[in-house]
Each structure stands twice: as structure tokens, then as C-alpha cells.
Amino acid sequence: MHRDRWGVPHLWADTVDELARWQGRVAATDRAWQLEVERWRAEGRLAAHVGPTERDWDRFARRSRLDDTARRCFEQLTPATRRWVTAYADGVNDALPAGAAAAPEFAATGSTPGRWRPWSPLGVFLVQHILFGTFPQKLWHAHVAATLGPHARDLFAVEGPGGSGSNAWALPADPLTGRGPVIAGDPHRLLELPGIYQQIRLACPEFDVVGLAFPGVPGLPHFGHAGDVAWAVTNAMADYQDLYREQLRRDGDRVLVRDADGWVPAHRHVERIEVRGGATETVEVIETPRGPVIDHDRHTGEALSLRTPTWVTGNLGFEALLPLLRARTADDVADALRGWVEPVNSVLVADRHGTVLQLVAGLVPERDDRCRREPVPGWDARYRWRGDYATTKPVEVGGPVVCANDRRDDTAALGVDFAPPHRAHRIRDLLADGVAAPDVHMDTRRGSTVLRDLLARLDPTPLSAPARRLRDRLTGWDGRMAADSVDAGTFAAWRAALVHRLAAHPALGPLHSPGGYDPLFAPWTDPLARIGHAVEGVVAGLPRLGGAVEPLAAAALEDVAAADPPGPWGRRHLLHPLHLGVSDAVTERVAAMRAATALGGDTDCVLATSSVPGVSDACWRGPVARYVWDLTDRAASRWIVPFGVSGRPDDPHFADQLPLWATGGLIPVGTDWHTLTPAPRDEDPVTYQEQIPGFGELTLTVVDPAAHATLLHGWVTEPRATFWGMGSYTVEEVREVYTFVDSLSTHHAYLIGLDGAPVGLFQSYQPEADPVGERYRVRPGDIGMHLLLAPGRRPPRGLTDAIGPALARFLFRDPTRLRIVVEPDVRNRFALRRLEREGFTFADEIDMPDKRAQLAFLTRERFEADHPVPA
């Protein structure tokens, strides 16, 4: 592993599986707390570690069957993909103990890291995208229809708080200058700390790709540059999640659900949610033929089930991830993404040959149009999915192309609520003017003029003199939401006052009636927030409800004129990264970030740094990365994330990119290995940790041949280590041996530590790649091992018998390992007695190149009968 000056990891491995394991290790080293939080969320166990504030999420995660869906999707993967994903989870487990020890949140919550299961990466990906779709918007649509009438839904026909503000564009090759295609953009999501994307390079003999990874997920699903080809995504704004109203009957513990043909059994069980510092909660989990029940309507008493392509098909699209890394052309990327499921993305891809493709990746079910707008009756057959999914084809484009969550020909039929077209139009204009990508990213001019047109048509005569001056300033303002602009700050203050006036208007008053849904969905169903999100649509549509907007706009001007001066926009539009707030160290860093970071931009700008007008001007959503993929020379590519590589507040790379991100800077991708710094071996994660009662903490750390050769030489040349076969070796020869072992993917050497002190050497190997494999019939699942306890050290009584089971537990963590193989020298009576005590079965004596050996085996079943492997 190497790192560049920004701490970005550049990984090389001999195989894709080994590379996946290293990617998992790096993620756990840099982002241990983030990874465990996402796994706990997927499993519905976050409240057990954080407290009652996360109980609503845990209830939803259990009801929506996130962990079960992840497991089902994992089981349907091909063996090669399962192995690759499992290797990533193994890498996380390798480094998680050491990563957690350095992350202050674990100590602050009294938490300890657990174990990732092979399907945990799929659960993490589901967590990131389950609320990224459209179903929460349908709850709000239902509330609007119930309180104001169906005709009022159009007032709020814009993306909701879970929507996107992402930009991506592609420039074709320029034959005149010889420049190849360029893909650039900036995904906008919740500004979480640590960031949702992790810069990384993944290289092996099959590929060499730089890109943005999801911590907890292998590969580079959304943004990558493979040298010959590059790709990027934005939210296609497709509607692929449906809510169904369900009528339930109960007969004791048995639940029946109304279906088109009568009442049918529903799957039902009960789970318990542990809560740190609170009472345990029981949650009922029900699955209907439509999908899992995620909530119920408090007004009608009906249950609400959620149906998604992933739940229906048992497929999340992970089969696309390895082919995506192996892609060499734009067509290869398009072929890989044919297997994608959700979320549904607009994709731009370009290759060095000059091909630029635009496509939609993901599954959008064919069904009745009413399903796209609101929860529909589950018992009505007309709302069943028809079994088909919308088909789209990649389109080769010859000119500049822009995706900004807008309604386009390739997406219009797939969704309902799209982003207004202003960002897309503005980006096209900037590109036509030859504006460079970094300046496009940072453009702060508001696209919509609805609110300023409202100000312009106000009659100034009834206004007070201060309000009249305020109106004149705002009508003459250039519309740029620059951080240092006082006019932008004044506009934002007036907009917030207008939102409050609108929310209090009698025509919209019914929206404030009690909602019928779980508090988890409050960001989508809070009337003040939703009016703030859709203020322009509400302003345009209020007259249809019998309300006049102009008096409200005038009153809002008077409100601002009578208050303290609003100040520049950047002092109102403060960075507000989302984090759990369990660690004082992190909270202090966040406070410092807010004080030092003045932001420009706004929801309607290309620089879509979002706030909730009327609720807060703080920025909670924005560009979670920026990138410029250069297909002429990958080394000329640039990128940036809001914070940094590390999630630890004491790490120099915790927030080192923030100042550049806030001002529009980009950092070099860097692809020359000679300019990178090899990570010091003392930064390598502890591979395994286990507390051995009565003896202390046992650790396994990968042997560093350069650093450890002298130590190992002292051990292997001791008379008591004669059976190790290296008694005459020099220090340099020992170093050469372990340098060779370190170069192999089939053999591994580890230092055994006890409370930090080295006490022995442990080696594992694949028998089919070792001389022993030529002397017995190797079975699938066999794994070999050697053990040398430091001969110059007198171990505590019983330590040898305690270490053996710990090493076996380490090997059996891999579910594919079924039998441990050993072949000690037949003269080593001490080792033979120990193996017999540990349950090994002796087989034949065999002739090895350097000894007569006793072949012995320990099966997983025999070991687990006496030493259960921890879950």
C-alpha cells in the first residue's frame, strides 16, 4: 500500500480477491467508526450503541428487512463475486480492532467493534440508498392530497429532502487540439462526517482504477477512471419504489393480509431492539405479498408495505462491480451496468478512443401510473407489478452532454418529480463559453427567477421606507449566492420570512394537521420544511388555492427590514456536517469547521449547497466530491472531497481537503507510483486480536521482513528451534526467506504478540501451493499452519495450550476453511503432544524435502465442538 500527500491510499495486489481484502483493511483503518455505524444501521442495532435517538431508524431497518435482503442478495451472487465480497469483509475484520482502538467514538459510547459477515457490504449499500428513492415523497403526496386535495400536489412537484442536486457533464474529444474526452461533475448528497465517498486507487494485474468508493463496499460503483475509460453517475430521478396500503387481520400470532383473491397469510415474527440507556423495544416484522410492512397510517389504520426491485429480485446489482473495474471501453462499462438494479442512475461514460455514451442503469418496474404518486391499495390487482422493467439503451453522443437530475428524453418516462432545469441549462451555457470545470463547479448564480419576479411586481407604495429600499436592493441584485454577498444574505432572510408567512396562510393551514407516519419520515412530511423546499412552486400555485402571494411577500420584506441586518450569505450559510455527535473530540472539530467555513451557492445554483429555507440557512447537503476525469492523461485528472481521507479527528487527513473544497480547489489524482509514499509497516493493521483470559491480548501482525529479520533470526537459530530448520541461517538469509513469503498470496507469516510483546511466529499456507500438497490428497477447504513460540522466552504456564485454539479460530474465521493441516517433524514430541491435546487426528508419516513429518488434521467440526467460533 502507498499513500499520496493527502493520505489517499493506492493499493496493489496480485489478485482481485487480495485487492478486495486490502480495500477492506484500508476502509477499516481509516473509517472504523463509520463502517460499524453503517453495519449497525443495516442490522437495526444502532440504538444499542448510540441510544434512544436511533430507535426510529432501527425500527425501520428491522421492518424493511435490510439485513435479510442483503443476505438474500449475497447468496444469489456468482461464486467469484461472493468470494470477492467476502474478501473485502475479511479485510474489514482484519483491521477493525486496530482501527476502532484509534477512533474516539468507540470509547465515548463504550462500544466495541463486532464482526462483518460476508453480506455486510451489501447491507451497508442498502442503508445508503433505501431512503434515496421516492417512497418517502409519496407519504408527503398522500398527506397533501388528504389535507388540501389531489390538485395541490403539483405545488410540491420538486425533489424532496432525500433527492439529489448532482451534476455531471461530458465533453467529447477535440480533434483540433488532440484532447480526449473529459467527464466532470459533483455528486450532491448529505454532507456526512466522515464523507460518504472515499478516494482510493485499486490496482492489480487485471486493472488499475482510481475513483470514489463507498466505505464498507468493495469496488468503485459510481465514479472511476480506469485509464482507458472513465464513468460517472447522477440520480436519474426514476420512480422505482412503491408503497401499498395493506389491510391486516389477526388471529393470535397469525396475521392475514387482504389480497386480490381474498385473505392470505403474511409472514410475521417479533424482534427486540436493544437501546443504550433506554428500554428494550419489541418490533413486529411483517411481510406481505407486496413487500415488508414499514409503517402504518395513524389515520386509516392501514399498514404500509414497501416494494423495491432489490426485494423482489433478491439482486442488488453487485455482479456489475467487478466487470466495471475490468472495463476498457465505454461499451464495456455499458455492458457491466446492464446488471445494475438500484438506485437507478444516469451514467456518463467516455473512453480514450473518443466514444461518449449516456445511459440509464437500474430497474424501473412497469405498473399503473398511480403507483408513482401515492400509496395504493395492495388488494387491488390493477396495481400489481407487471413483471417487466422499463428498457433503455445507451446513446452515443457527439457534443457536450449534461445530467443534472432534470427531466430529459431518456428519463422523463421513468419518474415523476425531477429537479428544475436551471442547473442543466446553466452548465450548458458555461461550457459553451469555455468555462473550466472548477469554475463550473463553483458557479453561484441562481437559475430560477420566480421569487425575484415576485419582488419586481410588488407595488412599492404601501411599503415602509426601509422595506422599499430593501425591495430595490433585491430587484437590482445580480442573483449570485456568493459567500461574501450581503445582498444574497438579505435575499435568504427575506425568503425565510416568506416561507414562514406562507406556512401560516389559511390556504395551507390544513397541512399542519397531525401527520400519520413514523417520526423517521419527518424530513419528508414536515409542512414548514416542505414549503421551504418547494417555495417557488408554492408561490406559483397559491392563487389556485385562493391565496394571494403579494401581501405575504410585502409582509416578509417588512419583517426583514425591522430585524437586525442579515449580513453576508456565507455567515448564514454555515457548513453543517451530519454526525452522531457522540465524541467531544469530533464535535469540537465540527464547531471549528463551521466557524472557519463560509459557503456560497444554494439549492438552485450549480454549486448546489442546500439548506431548508424557513427552517435553517445552514448547509446540510452539497457536493460530497468533485472530479475531473481526463481521458487524454489520467495523471491530469483532479478531485476533491469535503473533509479528508480519515475519520479520526487527530489524523492530519481528517479535514485537510476542506479549505480547498470550500473555495473550489481540486487536488491531483496522482498515478505515478514513484511519487507516492509506501505506508510504514507500523501502520499496517493488526490482522487479528483476541483476549485470552489469564494471559492478555493476543495479536497477529504481518511480518515485516526488513524490520523483523533480526528478531526472527534470534528465534530460529536457537537450539530449541532446531525443528524449524533454519539454525544455520544468517540474518540476511532470514530476511530473504520472509521477503519471499511476503511476496506470495498463498503463504503468510505473522508475529504473535501478547499484550504488545512479541512471543512467537505463526505461518499459514495453502497446501496445494506447498510441497506438502504433493504428498497427500488436498481437499477443498484445507489450510496449513506452522507455529514457533519464541524459544528464548519462558512462556507462562498454559500459554501454549491457549494460543493454539486462538490461531485455529483465526483460520476458521474464513467460512471456506474446513480443515487445518500440519506436518511437524516426527521427532518433535512436544509439538505432537500439543496437537493431540488440541484434537488433531494423526494420519501418515510423509517425507518432506528437509524432514520426516507427521501429517495431522483438525476439522472445523471437531474444533467447534470444543471451541465455538465467536459469531
Side-chain angles (χ1 to χ4, degrees), residues 239-313:
D239 183 81
Y240 54 89
Q241 298 174 326
D242 283 347
L243 286 175
Y244 289 88
R245 296 188 176 276
E246 305 278 12
Q247 294 181 355
L248 306 179
R249 283 182 180 173
R250 296 180 182 273
D251 179 12
D253 289 340
R254 189 165 174 255
V255 174
L256 300 176
V257 59
R258 185 182 174 189
D259 203 38
D261 302 319
W263 294 84
V264 299
H267 298 285
R268 183 247 183 209
H269 70 274
V270 173
E271 298 182 9
R272 295 169 63 84
I273 299 175
E274 302 292 333
V275 181
R276 179 173 179 252
T280 298
E281 177 177 310
T282 298
V283 59
E284 185 180 46
V285 179
I286 298 173
E287 290 186 75
T288 78
R290 267 67 60 190
V293 170
I294 61 164
D295 199 6
H296 68 279
D297 189 322
R298 275 72 171 169
H299 299 312
T300 67
E302 294 168 323
L304 293 168
S305 65
L306 174 64
R307 188 172 182 84
T308 69
T310 292
W311 185 85
V312 170
T313 64

XYZ file of all heavy atoms in Angstrom, residues 239-313:
612
model
N -38.618 6.600 -10.595
C -39.502 6.113 -9.541
C -39.522 4.590 -9.588
O -40.083 4.004 -10.518
C -40.913 6.663 -9.742
C -41.847 6.232 -8.634
O -41.827 6.866 -7.563
O -42.581 5.241 -8.830
N -38.872 3.962 -8.602
C -38.771 2.501 -8.625
C -39.163 1.871 -7.292
O -39.037 0.662 -7.116
C -37.346 2.068 -8.995
C -36.261 2.680 -8.111
C -35.857 2.043 -6.949
C -35.667 3.885 -8.441
C -34.880 2.589 -6.136
C -34.689 4.441 -7.646
C -34.297 3.797 -6.492
O -33.333 4.344 -5.680
N -39.653 2.671 -6.344
C -40.107 2.157 -5.059
C -41.598 2.453 -4.920
O -42.024 3.589 -5.146
C -39.364 2.839 -3.904
C -37.871 2.626 -3.885
C -37.214 3.457 -2.788
O -37.646 4.563 -2.469
N -36.164 2.911 -2.205
N -42.385 1.465 -4.531
C -43.824 1.668 -4.369
C -44.264 1.380 -2.946
O -43.714 0.489 -2.270
C -44.606 0.760 -5.330
C -44.606 1.289 -6.754
O -44.218 2.460 -6.956
O -44.989 0.537 -7.663
N -45.266 2.133 -2.513
C -45.907 1.906 -1.224
C -47.317 1.362 -1.457
O -48.051 1.872 -2.315
C -45.992 3.214 -0.430
C -44.700 3.729 0.184
C -44.936 5.094 0.823
C -44.155 2.764 1.229
N -47.676 0.357 -0.673
C -49.000 -0.248 -0.769
C -49.718 -0.137 0.569
O -49.128 -0.394 1.626
C -48.900 -1.724 -1.168
C -48.483 -1.930 -2.600
C -47.128 -1.991 -2.945
C -49.429 -2.038 -3.613
C -46.743 -2.176 -4.261
C -49.041 -2.225 -4.933
C -47.699 -2.284 -5.246
O -47.323 -2.452 -6.548
N -50.976 0.257 0.499
C -51.826 0.212 1.687
C -52.267 -1.237 1.882
O -52.716 -1.892 0.939
C -53.038 1.126 1.521
C -52.642 2.604 1.399
C -53.860 3.516 1.440
N -53.450 4.910 1.408
C -53.074 5.612 2.469
N -53.065 5.031 3.670
N -52.725 6.873 2.356
N -52.134 -1.706 3.107
C -52.440 -3.102 3.409
C -53.472 -3.182 4.528
O -53.371 -2.454 5.531
C -51.171 -3.856 3.845
C -50.012 -3.782 2.864
C -50.125 -4.779 1.724
O -51.212 -5.370 1.560
O -49.132 -4.962 0.997
N -54.449 -4.059 4.360
C -55.417 -4.344 5.417
C -55.051 -5.681 6.048
O -54.898 -6.686 5.342
C -56.834 -4.369 4.854
C -57.288 -3.002 4.340
C -58.702 -3.017 3.798
O -59.345 -4.073 3.706
N -59.212 -1.848 3.433
N -54.891 -5.689 7.366
C -54.439 -6.872 8.095
C -55.533 -7.384 9.030
O -56.320 -6.604 9.564
C -53.184 -6.548 8.908
C -51.984 -5.941 8.161
C -50.851 -5.665 9.130
C -51.526 -6.854 7.034
N -55.580 -8.677 9.209
C -56.410 -9.324 10.225
C -55.508 -10.157 11.109
O -54.503 -10.695 10.652
C -57.460 -10.242 9.574
C -58.652 -9.535 8.975
C -59.610 -10.590 8.422
N -60.789 -9.999 7.831
C -61.714 -10.690 7.160
N -61.565 -12.007 7.015
N -62.755 -10.088 6.650
N -55.907 -10.297 12.365
C -55.074 -11.051 13.307
C -55.871 -12.194 13.916
O -57.045 -12.054 14.248
C -54.541 -10.134 14.404
C -53.616 -9.062 13.859
C -53.086 -8.131 14.945
N -52.242 -7.107 14.357
C -50.940 -7.249 14.134
N -50.352 -8.393 14.465
N -50.248 -6.285 13.601
N -55.170 -13.298 14.056
C -55.720 -14.473 14.721
C -54.637 -14.985 15.661
O -53.832 -15.841 15.307
C -56.102 -15.528 13.681
C -56.670 -16.786 14.328
O -56.973 -16.742 15.533
O -56.803 -17.808 13.621
N -54.574 -14.396 16.879
C -53.465 -14.673 17.782
C -52.185 -14.094 17.203
O -52.114 -12.915 16.863
N -51.170 -14.949 17.086
C -49.908 -14.516 16.481
C -49.941 -14.587 14.967
O -48.983 -14.175 14.306
C -48.752 -15.388 16.998
C -48.437 -15.102 18.457
O -48.824 -14.016 18.929
O -47.826 -15.965 19.110
N -51.017 -15.091 14.419
C -51.125 -15.255 12.973
C -51.679 -13.972 12.363
O -52.608 -13.365 12.882
C -52.037 -16.441 12.666
C -52.096 -16.876 11.217
C -52.720 -18.264 11.145
N -52.934 -18.677 9.758
C -54.116 -18.689 9.173
N -55.207 -18.335 9.867
N -54.250 -19.091 7.926
N -51.106 -13.563 11.228
C -51.543 -12.352 10.544
C -51.990 -12.718 9.137
O -51.277 -13.428 8.416
C -50.419 -11.297 10.487
C -50.839 -10.099 9.635
C -50.049 -10.828 11.884
N -53.153 -12.224 8.749
C -53.661 -12.371 7.397
C -53.685 -11.002 6.737
O -53.925 -9.986 7.391
C -55.074 -12.963 7.399
C -55.250 -14.343 8.031
C -56.719 -14.731 8.046
C -54.431 -15.383 7.284
N -53.434 -10.967 5.448
C -53.437 -9.720 4.696
C -54.400 -9.857 3.530
O -54.495 -10.913 2.887
C -52.013 -9.363 4.210
C -51.438 -10.456 3.335
C -52.011 -8.032 3.473
N -55.138 -8.787 3.281
C -56.102 -8.807 2.186
C -55.374 -8.767 0.852
O -54.522 -7.907 0.615
C -57.049 -7.611 2.299
C -58.161 -7.619 1.263
C -59.035 -6.395 1.402
N -60.019 -6.316 0.327
C -60.805 -5.264 0.105
N -60.708 -4.192 0.899
N -61.659 -5.271 -0.900
N -55.727 -9.699 -0.026
C -55.138 -9.773 -1.360
C -56.268 -9.692 -2.384
O -57.457 -9.683 -2.017
C -54.351 -11.076 -1.510
C -53.280 -10.999 -2.582
O -52.651 -9.938 -2.698
O -53.083 -11.983 -3.294
N -55.916 -9.638 -3.639
C -56.930 -9.517 -4.686
C -57.896 -10.689 -4.673
O -59.075 -10.544 -5.035
C -56.253 -9.402 -6.051
N -57.435 -11.847 -4.219
C -58.260 -13.056 -4.237
C -58.755 -13.462 -2.856
O -59.166 -14.596 -2.653
C -57.463 -14.210 -4.857
C -56.984 -13.887 -6.261
O -57.766 -13.290 -7.022
O -55.822 -14.208 -6.580
N -58.700 -12.555 -1.893
C -59.130 -12.882 -0.541
C -58.033 -12.633 0.471
O -57.064 -11.903 0.213
N -58.156 -13.268 1.625
C -57.205 -13.079 2.709
C -56.160 -14.191 2.688
O -56.507 -15.371 2.598
C -57.919 -13.064 4.058
C -58.831 -11.876 4.189
C -60.113 -11.780 3.738
C -58.495 -10.619 4.747
N -60.614 -10.531 4.005
C -59.643 -9.791 4.632
C -57.351 -10.091 5.355
C -59.677 -8.478 5.088
C -57.377 -8.789 5.825
C -58.521 -7.995 5.685
N -54.903 -13.806 2.721
C -53.807 -14.779 2.643
C -52.872 -14.567 3.828
O -52.808 -13.466 4.394
C -53.025 -14.630 1.317
C -53.939 -14.880 0.131
C -52.382 -13.253 1.220
N -52.132 -15.614 4.235
C -51.207 -15.449 5.367
C -50.061 -14.501 5.024
O -49.564 -14.482 3.898
C -50.682 -16.869 5.612
C -51.660 -17.766 4.932
C -52.192 -17.002 3.764
N -49.655 -13.733 5.992
C -48.463 -12.896 5.889
C -47.392 -13.469 6.805
O -47.700 -14.035 7.862
C -48.777 -11.453 6.277
N -46.135 -13.330 6.408
C -45.038 -13.763 7.267
C -44.904 -12.765 8.414
O -44.875 -11.555 8.204
C -43.739 -13.843 6.469
C -43.774 -14.830 5.349
N -43.696 -16.187 5.560
C -43.905 -14.666 4.008
C -43.754 -16.815 4.399
N -43.884 -15.916 3.440
N -44.794 -13.300 9.633
C -44.745 -12.418 10.799
C -43.837 -12.992 11.859
O -43.847 -14.184 12.138
C -46.161 -12.238 11.351
C -46.262 -11.283 12.532
C -46.660 -12.024 13.796
N -46.829 -11.123 14.924
C -46.630 -11.466 16.196
N -46.257 -12.700 16.499
N -46.797 -10.593 17.162
N -42.975 -12.152 12.423
C -42.219 -12.526 13.605
C -41.918 -11.268 14.406
O -42.195 -10.154 13.960
C -40.937 -13.285 13.247
C -39.886 -12.445 12.591
N -39.841 -12.212 11.230
C -38.820 -11.771 13.111
C -38.814 -11.442 10.936
N -38.173 -11.158 12.063
N -41.372 -11.452 15.595
C -41.112 -10.329 16.500
C -39.621 -10.259 16.794
O -38.967 -11.299 16.987
C -41.909 -10.491 17.813
C -41.518 -9.412 18.826
C -43.407 -10.424 17.523
N -39.069 -9.064 16.786
C -37.668 -8.845 17.127
C -37.574 -7.827 18.256
O -38.489 -7.031 18.475
C -36.886 -8.358 15.896
C -36.875 -9.350 14.748
C -36.063 -8.877 13.554
O -35.359 -7.846 13.689
O -36.133 -9.519 12.492
N -36.448 -7.854 18.934
C -36.229 -6.944 20.057
C -35.108 -5.973 19.711
O -34.047 -6.391 19.234
C -35.875 -7.725 21.325
C -37.012 -8.615 21.834
C -36.543 -9.575 22.925
N -36.079 -8.866 24.111
C -36.889 -8.435 25.079
N -38.206 -8.642 24.974
N -36.416 -7.823 26.136
N -35.340 -4.711 19.968
C -34.358 -3.669 19.728
C -33.768 -3.250 21.066
O -34.473 -2.704 21.926
C -34.981 -2.452 19.025
C -35.543 -2.862 17.658
C -33.966 -1.336 18.884
C -36.295 -1.740 16.956
N -32.485 -3.532 21.237
C -31.791 -3.084 22.435
C -31.461 -1.598 22.305
O -31.094 -1.129 21.220
C -30.503 -3.889 22.641
C -30.710 -5.399 22.751
C -31.450 -5.795 24.011
O -31.359 -5.042 25.014
O -32.112 -6.852 23.995
N -31.592 -0.853 23.403
C -31.381 0.587 23.378
C -30.419 0.969 24.499
O -30.685 0.699 25.671
C -32.704 1.358 23.546
C -32.454 2.866 23.493
C -33.705 0.942 22.477
N -29.310 1.560 24.125
C -28.350 2.023 25.129
C -28.983 3.125 25.976
O -29.427 4.142 25.463
C -27.092 2.558 24.438
C -26.027 3.079 25.388
C -24.768 3.418 24.600
N -23.726 3.938 25.472
C -23.327 5.201 25.506
N -23.898 6.091 24.700
N -22.374 5.594 26.315
N -29.060 2.897 27.289
C -29.643 3.884 28.184
C -31.149 3.975 28.107
O -31.740 4.942 28.607
N -31.810 3.000 27.500
C -33.264 3.030 27.373
C -33.848 1.637 27.418
O -33.134 0.629 27.466
N -35.167 1.593 27.406
C -35.860 0.309 27.491
C -35.797 -0.431 26.158
O -35.816 0.181 25.089
C -37.319 0.539 27.888
N -35.712 -1.740 26.232
C -35.772 -2.576 25.035
C -37.145 -2.462 24.394
O -38.163 -2.436 25.081
C -35.470 -4.037 25.400
O -34.160 -4.126 25.930
C -35.585 -4.939 24.180
N -37.152 -2.373 23.072
C -38.414 -2.244 22.337
C -38.646 -3.489 21.506
O -37.724 -4.051 20.921
C -38.375 -1.017 21.431
C -39.626 -0.858 20.575
C -39.604 0.406 19.737
O -39.340 1.482 20.301
O -39.848 0.315 18.516
N -39.912 -3.911 21.460
C -40.303 -5.041 20.615
C -40.861 -4.504 19.308
O -41.676 -3.584 19.309
C -41.369 -5.898 21.318
O -40.812 -6.430 22.530
C -41.793 -7.054 20.428
N -40.422 -5.048 18.212
C -40.898 -4.606 16.898
C -41.441 -5.813 16.146
O -40.833 -6.883 16.117
C -39.785 -3.907 16.099
C -38.597 -4.824 15.879
C -40.311 -3.406 14.765
N -42.623 -5.638 15.579
C -43.257 -6.685 14.794
C -42.822 -6.543 13.346
O -42.916 -5.456 12.763
C -44.783 -6.573 14.917
C -45.531 -7.692 14.223
C -47.041 -7.552 14.378
O -47.546 -6.429 14.177
O -47.700 -8.551 14.701
N -42.355 -7.631 12.767
C -41.889 -7.642 11.379
C -42.874 -8.470 10.561
O -43.099 -9.644 10.849
C -40.474 -8.224 11.278
C -40.006 -8.246 9.828
C -39.506 -7.426 12.142
N -43.470 -7.826 9.544
C -44.486 -8.472 8.720
C -44.104 -8.307 7.257
O -43.706 -7.219 6.829
C -45.884 -7.854 8.962
C -46.315 -8.062 10.426
C -46.920 -8.444 8.007
C -47.597 -7.339 10.787
N -44.240 -9.381 6.482
C -44.036 -9.318 5.037
C -45.306 -9.763 4.340
O -45.812 -10.851 4.587
C -42.861 -10.186 4.609
C -41.511 -9.657 5.039
C -40.357 -10.462 4.482
O -40.052 -10.325 3.291
O -39.769 -11.245 5.249
N -45.808 -8.907 3.464
C -46.983 -9.225 2.656
C -46.519 -9.652 1.270
O -45.330 -9.576 0.953
C -47.891 -7.990 2.540
O -47.338 -7.079 1.566
C -48.037 -7.269 3.873
N -47.437 -10.085 0.406
C -47.015 -10.414 -0.964
C -46.410 -9.235 -1.712
O -45.696 -9.430 -2.698
C -48.330 -10.864 -1.620
C -49.165 -11.375 -0.491
C -48.832 -10.483 0.666
N -46.696 -7.994 -1.278
C -46.104 -6.827 -1.924
C -44.707 -6.543 -1.418
O -43.821 -6.138 -2.170
C -46.984 -5.583 -1.687
C -47.996 -5.289 -2.759
C -49.090 -6.315 -2.855
N -49.849 -6.429 -1.608
C -50.734 -7.383 -1.349
N -50.961 -8.326 -2.254
N -51.384 -7.435 -0.201
N -44.494 -6.722 -0.119
C -43.210 -6.397 0.473
C -43.324 -6.254 1.969
O -44.394 -6.458 2.561
N -42.243 -5.889 2.653
C -42.283 -5.742 4.102
C -43.090 -4.521 4.530
O -43.070 -3.475 3.864
C -40.803 -5.588 4.471
C -40.141 -5.086 3.241
C -40.896 -5.668 2.092
N -43.790 -4.650 5.631
C -44.548 -3.539 6.209
C -43.575 -2.628 6.945
O -42.909 -3.045 7.896
C -45.639 -4.048 7.163
C -46.258 -2.890 7.947
C -46.711 -4.807 6.392
N -43.474 -1.374 6.504
C -42.502 -0.455 7.091
C -43.139 0.546 8.047
O -42.446 1.201 8.827
C -41.737 0.313 6.002
C -42.698 1.150 5.153
C -40.927 -0.646 5.138
C -42.020 2.219 4.333
N -44.474 0.695 7.992
C -45.145 1.694 8.830
C -46.638 1.419 8.758
O -47.089 0.500 8.059
C -44.814 3.107 8.328
C -45.082 4.194 9.382
O -45.418 3.832 10.532
O -44.964 5.379 9.058
N -47.422 2.247 9.471
C -48.871 2.204 9.305
C -49.408 3.625 9.349
O -48.809 4.522 9.954
C -49.531 1.332 10.375
C -49.441 1.896 11.764
N -48.317 1.758 12.548
C -50.330 2.618 12.501
C -48.506 2.354 13.716
N -49.723 2.887 13.716
N -50.506 3.842 8.690
C -51.150 5.147 8.627
C -51.968 5.333 9.903
O -52.931 4.591 10.145
C -52.035 5.222 7.381
C -52.579 6.614 7.124
O -52.927 7.306 8.102
O -52.664 7.014 5.951
N -51.598 6.305 10.726
C -52.277 6.518 12.013
C -53.712 6.973 11.818
O -54.524 6.872 12.746
C -51.530 7.555 12.854
C -50.380 7.000 13.682
C -49.213 6.618 12.811
N -48.003 6.269 13.574
C -46.946 5.719 13.042
N -46.927 5.418 11.757
N -45.898 5.437 13.776
N -54.048 7.495 10.632
C -55.410 7.976 10.393
C -56.328 6.856 9.920
O -57.467 6.753 10.384
C -55.394 9.101 9.358
C -54.597 10.293 9.795
N -54.730 10.879 11.030
C -53.640 11.018 9.153
C -53.906 11.916 11.143
N -53.225 12.007 10.014
N -55.869 6.033 8.998
C -56.732 4.984 8.446
C -56.546 3.638 9.144
O -57.391 2.751 8.993
C -56.443 4.793 6.951
O -55.118 4.255 6.796
C -56.532 6.128 6.205
N -55.432 3.471 9.861
C -55.131 2.193 10.487
C -54.526 1.184 9.537
O -54.184 0.066 9.949
N -54.371 1.530 8.273
C -53.810 0.599 7.296
C -52.294 0.498 7.450
O -51.622 1.472 7.799
C -54.140 1.068 5.883
C -55.629 1.025 5.559
C -55.941 1.768 4.278
O -55.312 2.807 4.015
O -56.839 1.304 3.552
N -51.784 -0.685 7.187
C -50.333 -0.863 7.139
C -49.818 -0.345 5.805
O -50.563 -0.199 4.835
C -49.980 -2.334 7.317
N -48.521 -0.067 5.765
C -47.872 0.397 4.549
C -46.700 -0.523 4.245
O -45.779 -0.650 5.051
C -47.379 1.838 4.706
C -48.452 2.916 4.836
C -47.833 4.225 5.280
C -49.182 3.103 3.515
N -46.746 -1.188 3.094
C -45.651 -2.074 2.697
C -44.838 -1.414 1.592
O -45.349 -0.593 0.827
C -46.174 -3.434 2.229
O -46.948 -3.298 1.052
N -43.562 -1.787 1.529
C -42.624 -1.204 0.569
C -42.178 -2.283 -0.408
O -41.716 -3.352 0.001
C -41.411 -0.629 1.306
C -40.258 -0.114 0.444
C -40.705 1.070 -0.402
C -39.070 0.266 1.318
N -42.269 -1.975 -1.686
C -41.851 -2.919 -2.727
C -40.748 -2.264 -3.551
O -40.918 -1.159 -4.077
C -43.033 -3.282 -3.628
C -42.749 -4.410 -4.632
C -44.042 -4.818 -5.336
N -43.867 -5.912 -6.277
C -43.872 -7.199 -5.966
N -44.027 -7.554 -4.698
N -43.724 -8.127 -6.888
N -39.623 -2.944 -3.650
C -38.484 -2.433 -4.418
C -37.949 -3.541 -5.321
O -38.126 -4.731 -5.029
C -37.352 -1.962 -3.485
O -36.763 -3.110 -2.843
C -37.859 -0.993 -2.419
N -37.276 -3.177 -6.404
C -36.700 -4.214 -7.268
C -35.721 -5.130 -6.534
O -35.671 -6.331 -6.810
C -35.998 -3.404 -8.363
C -36.763 -2.126 -8.437
C -37.148 -1.831 -7.006
N -34.945 -4.582 -5.619
C -33.993 -5.421 -4.891
C -34.713 -6.461 -4.060
O -34.325 -7.642 -4.032
C -33.099 -4.545 -4.006
O -32.254 -3.750 -4.838
C -32.236 -5.394 -3.099
N -35.764 -6.060 -3.351
C -36.502 -7.017 -2.521
C -37.162 -8.079 -3.399
O -37.173 -9.263 -3.058
C -37.556 -6.287 -1.686
C -38.269 -7.192 -0.728
C -37.862 -7.562 0.524
C -39.513 -7.873 -0.960
N -38.774 -8.425 1.084
C -39.794 -8.632 0.199
C -40.407 -7.908 -2.017
C -40.944 -9.410 0.320
C -41.550 -8.690 -1.912
C -41.810 -9.427 -0.752
N -37.705 -7.655 -4.535
C -38.418 -8.587 -5.409
C -37.466 -9.587 -6.048
O -37.741 -10.791 -6.092
C -39.187 -7.807 -6.500
C -39.747 -8.751 -7.561
C -40.318 -7.003 -5.868
N -36.334 -9.108 -6.548
C -35.434 -9.967 -7.322
C -34.360 -10.637 -6.481
O -33.711 -11.582 -6.958
C -34.739 -9.152 -8.422
O -33.900 -8.155 -7.811
C -35.759 -8.472 -9.329
